[in-house]
Amino acid sequence: MSKTIEGVYRKGKIELSETPNDVGEGTRVVVTFLLPGSIDLREHGISKAQAAELRARFATFAEDWESPEMSVYDNYDEEKAKLQAQ
């Protein structure tokens, strides 16, 4: 059996995008690191037309998302802990 769940590598740990409810504690895993832009959208059921539509919709957020102020979300948990420590 295999199950695929996307995640992000941060500070030596893998953060999963969802919690698998049908996988037992201690189950072995294999981790594959994806280079930026290397996700195969077809594997996720997204066609070229759907991808183009998503890009167009997300383009409206690009300027805000890429602003320097948004960098606080790059390390959200760390920044939150700093605020709570004050």
Side-chain angles (χ1 to χ4, degrees), residues 6-84:
E6 194 170 327
V8 177
Y9 177 77
R10 285 195 181 100
K11 298 180 183 179
K13 296 182 180 181
I14 304 295
E15 298 174 9
L16 300 177
S17 61
E18 63 184 83
T19 302
N21 57 8
D22 58 347
V23 177
E25 187 72 25
T27 300
R28 292 178 40 189
V29 300
V30 174
V31 177
T32 303
F33 290 91
L34 303 172
L35 298 176
S38 66
I39 294 175
D40 186 346
L41 297 178
R42 289 174 295 196
E43 288 181 9
H44 296 280
I46 300 173
S47 70
K48 285 185 178 183
Q50 290 170 318
E53 182 183 348
L54 287 170
R55 272 190 219 98
R57 287 182 180 190
F58 288 136
T60 61
F61 299 101
E63 185 177 336
D64 289 334
W65 187 255
E66 294 170 0
S67 71
E69 295 84 17
M70 293 297 282
S71 66
V72 69
Y73 295 104
D74 293 344
N75 297 305
Y76 178 79
D77 292 331
E78 183 179 315
E79 296 298 326
K80 183 179 175 183
K82 285 180 188 176
L83 288 172
Q84 291 174 339

